[in-house]
Coordinates of all heavy atoms in Angstrom, one line a residue:
G51 N 195.1 238.4 -0.1 CA 195.3 236.9 0.1 C 196.2 236.6 1.3 O 196.3 237.4 2.3
D52 N 196.8 235.4 1.3 CA 197.5 234.9 2.5 C 199.1 235.0 2.3 O 199.8 234.4 3.1 CB 197.1 233.5 2.8 CG 195.7 233.4 3.3 OD1 195.2 234.4 3.9 OD2 195.1 232.4 3.1
T53 N 199.5 235.7 1.3 CA 200.9 235.7 1.0 C 201.7 236.6 2.1 O 201.0 237.4 2.8 CB 201.3 236.3 -0.3 OG1 200.8 237.6 -0.4 CG2 200.7 235.5 -1.5
D54 N 203.0 236.4 2.2 CA 203.8 237.1 3.2 C 204.5 238.3 2.6 O 205.7 238.5 2.8 CB 204.7 236.2 3.9 CG 204.0 235.2 4.8 OD1 202.9 235.6 5.4 OD2 204.5 234.1 5.0
E55 N 203.8 239.0 1.7 CA 204.5 240.2 1.1 C 204.7 241.2 2.1 O 204.0 241.3 3.1 CB 203.6 240.7 -0.1 CG 203.3 239.7 -1.1 CD 204.5 239.4 -2.0 OE1 205.3 240.3 -2.3 OE2 204.6 238.3 -2.5
E56 N 205.7 242.2 1.8 CA 205.9 243.3 2.7 C 204.9 244.4 2.4 O 204.5 245.0 3.4 CB 207.3 243.8 2.5 CG 208.4 242.8 3.1 CD 209.8 243.5 3.1 OE1 209.9 244.7 3.1 OE2 210.7 242.7 3.0
T57 N 204.6 244.6 1.2 CA 203.6 245.6 0.8 C 202.5 244.9 -0.1 O 202.8 244.0 -0.8 CB 204.1 246.8 0.2 OG1 204.8 246.5 -1.0 CG2 205.2 247.5 1.1
Y58 N 201.3 245.6 -0.1 CA 200.2 245.1 -1.0 C 199.7 246.3 -1.8 O 199.6 247.4 -1.3 CB 199.1 244.5 -0.1 CG 199.5 243.2 0.6 CD1 200.1 243.3 1.9 CD2 199.4 242.0 0.1 CE1 200.5 242.2 2.5 CE2 199.7 240.9 0.8 CZ 200.3 241.0 2.0 OH 200.7 239.8 2.7
P59 N 199.2 246.0 -3.0 CA 198.6 247.2 -3.8 C 197.3 247.5 -3.3 O 196.5 246.7 -2.9 CB 198.6 246.5 -5.2 CG 198.5 245.0 -5.0 CD 199.2 244.8 -3.7
L60 N 197.0 248.8 -3.3 CA 195.7 249.3 -3.0 C 195.3 250.2 -4.1 O 195.8 251.2 -4.4 CB 195.8 250.2 -1.7 CG 194.5 250.9 -1.3 CD1 193.4 249.9 -1.0 CD2 194.8 251.9 -0.1
D61 N 194.2 249.7 -4.8 CA 193.7 250.5 -6.0 C 192.8 251.7 -5.5 O 192.1 251.5 -4.5 CB 192.9 249.5 -6.8 CG 193.7 248.4 -7.5 OD1 194.9 248.7 -7.8 OD2 193.2 247.3 -7.6
A62 N 192.8 252.7 -6.3 CA 192.0 253.9 -6.0 C 190.6 253.6 -5.9 O 189.9 254.3 -5.1 CB 192.3 254.9 -7.0
E63 N 190.1 252.6 -6.5 CA 188.6 252.3 -6.5 C 188.2 251.8 -5.1 O 187.0 251.9 -4.8 CB 188.3 251.1 -7.5 CG 188.9 249.8 -7.2 CD 188.7 248.8 -8.3 OE1 188.7 249.2 -9.4 OE2 188.6 247.6 -8.0
N64 N 189.1 251.4 -4.2 CA 188.8 251.1 -2.8 C 188.8 252.3 -1.9 O 188.5 252.1 -0.7 CB 189.7 250.0 -2.3 CG 189.5 248.7 -3.1 OD1 188.3 248.3 -3.3 ND2 190.5 248.0 -3.4
V65 N 189.2 253.4 -2.4 CA 189.4 254.6 -1.5 C 188.2 255.5 -1.5 O 187.6 255.8 -2.5 CB 190.6 255.4 -2.0 CG1 190.8 256.7 -1.2 CG2 191.9 254.6 -1.9
E66 N 187.7 255.8 -0.2 CA 186.6 256.7 -0.1 C 187.0 258.1 -0.1 O 186.5 259.0 -0.7 CB 185.9 256.4 1.3 CG 184.8 257.3 1.7 CD 183.6 257.1 0.8 OE1 183.3 256.0 0.3 OE2 182.8 258.1 0.6
S67 N 188.1 258.4 0.7 CA 188.6 259.8 0.7 C 190.1 259.8 1.1 O 190.6 258.9 1.7 CB 187.8 260.7 1.7 OG 188.0 260.1 3.1
I68 N 190.7 261.0 0.8 CA 192.1 261.2 1.1 C 192.2 262.6 1.9 O 191.7 263.5 1.3 CB 193.0 261.2 -0.1 CG1 192.9 259.9 -0.8 CG2 194.5 261.5 0.3 CD1 193.6 259.8 -2.1
S69 N 192.8 262.6 3.1 CA 193.0 263.8 3.8 C 194.5 264.1 3.9 O 195.3 263.3 3.3 CB 192.3 263.7 5.1 OG 193.0 262.9 6.0
D70 N 194.9 265.1 4.6 CA 196.2 265.4 4.8 C 197.1 264.3 5.5 O 198.2 264.2 5.3 CB 196.4 266.7 5.6 CG 196.0 267.9 4.8 OD1 195.9 267.9 3.6 OD2 195.7 269.0 5.5
D71 N 196.4 263.5 6.3 CA 197.1 262.5 7.1 C 196.7 261.0 7.0 O 197.2 260.2 7.6 CB 197.3 262.9 8.5 CG 195.9 263.1 9.2 OD1 194.9 263.0 8.5 OD2 195.9 263.3 10.4
E72 N 195.6 260.8 6.2 CA 195.1 259.5 6.1 C 194.3 259.2 4.8 O 193.8 260.1 4.1 CB 194.2 259.1 7.3 CG 192.8 259.7 7.2 CD 191.9 259.2 8.4 OE1 192.5 258.8 9.5 OE2 190.7 259.4 8.3
I73 N 194.3 257.9 4.5 CA 193.5 257.4 3.3 C 192.4 256.6 3.9 O 192.7 255.6 4.6 CB 194.4 256.7 2.3 CG1 195.4 257.6 1.7 CG2 193.5 256.1 1.3 CD1 196.4 256.9 0.8
R74 N 191.2 256.9 3.7 CA 190.0 256.1 4.3 C 189.5 255.3 3.1 O 189.2 255.8 2.0 CB 188.9 257.1 4.8 CG 187.8 256.3 5.5 CD 186.9 257.3 6.2 NE 187.5 257.9 7.3 CZ 187.5 257.5 8.6 NH1 186.8 256.4 8.9 NH2 188.1 258.2 9.5
L75 N 189.3 254.0 3.5 CA 188.7 253.0 2.5 C 187.2 253.1 2.5 O 186.6 253.4 3.5 CB 189.2 251.6 2.8 CG 190.7 251.4 2.9 CD1 191.0 249.9 3.1 CD2 191.3 251.8 1.5
Q76 N 186.6 252.6 1.4 CA 185.2 252.5 1.3 C 184.8 251.3 2.2 O 185.6 250.4 2.5 CB 184.8 252.2 -0.1 CG 185.0 253.4 -1.0 CD 184.6 253.0 -2.5 OE1 184.0 251.9 -2.7 NE2 184.8 253.9 -3.4

Side-chain angles (χ1 to χ4, degrees):
D52 293 331
T53 62
D54 290 328
E55 299 290 326
E56 287 188 27
T57 62
Y58 295 87
L60 174 63
D61 295 323
E63 65 188 32
N64 292 317
V65 175
E66 176 71 29
S67 64
I68 301 173
S69 69
D70 289 340
D71 57 355
E72 74 178 20
I73 296 174
R74 183 171 295 263
L75 301 181
Q76 295 179 2

